[in-house]
Amino acid sequence: MRALVRETRLHPANFVLPLFIVPGEGVRRPISSMPGQSQLSIDQAVEECREIRGLGIGGIILFGLPESKNEEASGAYDEQGIVQRAIRAIKREVPGLLTITDVCNCEYTSHGHCGRIVNGDVHNDLTLDWLARSAISHARAGADIVAPSDMMDGRVAAIRAGLDGAGFSNTPILSYAAKFASVFYGPFREAADSAPQFGDRRSYQMDPSNGREAMKEIALDLEEGADMIMVKPALAYLDLIRQARDRFPDVPLSAYQVSGEFSMIHAAAANGWIDLERAMMETLTSIRRAGTDFILTYFAKPAARLLT
Ligand code: PBG
């Protein structure tokens, strides 16, 4: 009877699994703060993607750790960059697997910030060109969707114009529209080696106090041409997911259950304090119930296995 009247259901097709791509071959380096997650060289990522496709998971989102970093984040928009090469390999070897790319500079800058530094702070407008070039290079390599996570103002318009100008008018933009300056990104910064070397990201990511501003950020990104939107993190922002769903009912809406949300559940479960599988399913269900269409989650594989 419970199944008959259940309002919210999870399905593997609504999950997107983040992958961290590193240089080399045969590399599968466990991320200590994220149990079960590893940095993968391209050949290993391809193997992983076969399994992901086999589980019916909706897609992957790629993050890259380049060979070397510099002030100009050149690895982010290099046609032979780590993510660009990974996309080509995955598209060739695992056709049909939806491939999203994270568009940001923090993994590629020597200082770890998401944009170009001028006078000690990130310069919004000078960063837009890097973002557009990254998105174009991803689309050229075969990315199905590009997802800017940098939080510069005007980046969706800049990326849209760049993609259209380069002949990729059919490549959609998934905007990390409401992304907060959150403590829950901690483990990710180990995984992606992207911790800022000075200061923090509060000059471009949002204040966790501001829900109305989140709706404004979403509305602006949609005006600029975003095709899908995201709220990030998920669990501490379920109210804003619900508001976004109600205010923008016709737009595909996602949320990112971020690294810290994942690691907290693992840490508590490792202590025997909560049940891992139930906590995984309950949080994912609540993120869906709040109004998302799909969820970026490090639990994609174990949750998919449980569901099938
Ligand atoms: C890049 C980016 C971050 C995350 C996704 N893209 C880190 C940050 O903004 O500091 C975090 C994802 C996670 O914690 O799982 N800007």
Side-chain angles (χ1 to χ4, degrees):
M1 201 187 299
R2 280 183 202 280
L4 186 70
V5 297
R6 184 159 296 137
E7 298 174 27
T8 306
R9 278 177 211 283
L10 294 173
H11 193 281
N14 301 117
F15 300 146
V16 172
L17 179 62
L19 296 180
F20 301 98
I21 314 295
V22 291
E25 245 196 85
V27 182
R28 209 169 246 277
R29 192 179 307 130
I31 300 161
S32 62
S33 55
M34 299 176 70
Q37 310 297 310
S38 296
Q39 297 173 336
L40 304 169
S41 53
I42 292 174
D43 57 314
Q44 296 298 305
V46 165
E47 290 312 309
E48 188 76 11
C49 285
R50 285 192 227 283
E51 193 189 346
I52 293 165
R53 187 181 59 183
L55 285 165
I57 290 169
I60 52 166
I61 181 163
L62 297 178
F63 296 91
L65 286 81
E67 205 93 50
S68 65
K69 303 171 188 258
N70 54 39
E71 291 276 306
E72 288 78 41
S74 57
Y77 40 86
D78 181 349
E79 298 291 342
Q80 295 307 321
I82 184 85
V83 161
Q84 289 80 354
R85 285 187 289 124
I87 302 164
R88 284 191 210 103
I90 291 165
K91 280 285 148 192
R92 188 177 59 236
E93 305 289 334
V94 198
L97 179 66
L98 183 84
T99 303
I100 307 173
T101 56
D102 182 86
V103 176
C104 195
N105 300 303
C106 60
E107 296 117 65
Y108 304 93
T109 50
S110 38
H111 45 72
H113 274 290
C114 299
R116 186 154 155 191
I117 299 293
V118 178
N119 294 331
D121 201 358
V122 171
H123 194 292
N124 189 94
D125 291 7
L126 292 178
T127 301
L128 299 180
D129 171 56
W130 292 358
L131 296 166
R133 285 163 67 186
S134 298
I136 294 166
S137 70
H138 293 170
R140 193 169 283 136
D144 297 300
I145 300 174
V146 294
S149 69
D150 53 284
M151 287 304 278
M152 299 303 132
D153 293 328
R155 76 319 182 26
V156 173
I159 290 172
R160 186 72 271 157
L163 287 173
D164 291 355
F168 298 105
S169 50
N170 289 333
T171 303
I173 299 174
L174 162 61
S175 172
Y176 285 69
K179 172 172 172 178
F180 290 87
S182 170
V183 72
F184 294 110
Y185 308 149
F188 173 95
R189 291 179 185 171
E190 177 203 333
D193 185 26
S194 68
Q197 300 301 303
F198 63 89
D200 55 44
R201 302 210 204 290
R202 281 184 293 183
S203 70
Y204 41 104
Q205 298 182 352
M206 292 182 52
D207 180 347
S209 310
N210 290 4
R212 292 197 304 268
E213 188 186 3
M215 296 306 117
K216 180 181 147 198
E217 289 281 357
I218 293 171
L220 285 171
D221 281 8
L222 290 172
E223 264 169 47
E224 288 179 28
D227 300 279
M228 311 174 189
I229 54 177
M230 189 198 303
V231 174
K232 173 187 173 189
L235 203 57
Y237 299 86
L238 292 178
D239 58 327
L240 302 182
I241 296 173
R242 169 48 54 196
Q243 278 184 44
R245 171 46 79 220
D246 292 343
R247 302 252 303 239
F248 309 101
D250 306 326
V251 180
L253 172 64
S254 64
Y256 198 143
Q257 183 180 44
V258 300
S259 56
E261 300 179 66
F262 171 83
S263 300
M264 274 195 308
I265 291 173
H266 267 284
N271 273 300
W273 295 337
I274 58 168
D275 180 82
L276 179 68
E277 283 188 354
R278 286 185 54 200
M280 167 174 85
M281 296 316 254
E282 187 172 328
T283 51
L284 289 169
T285 301
S286 68
I287 297 164
R288 281 278 280 164
R289 191 198 60 235
T292 56
D293 297 300
F294 62 97
I295 306 171
L296 292 83
T297 175
Y298 303 98
F299 284 127
K301 273 172 41 180
R305 278 197 204 99
L306 262 190
L307 290 166
T308 45

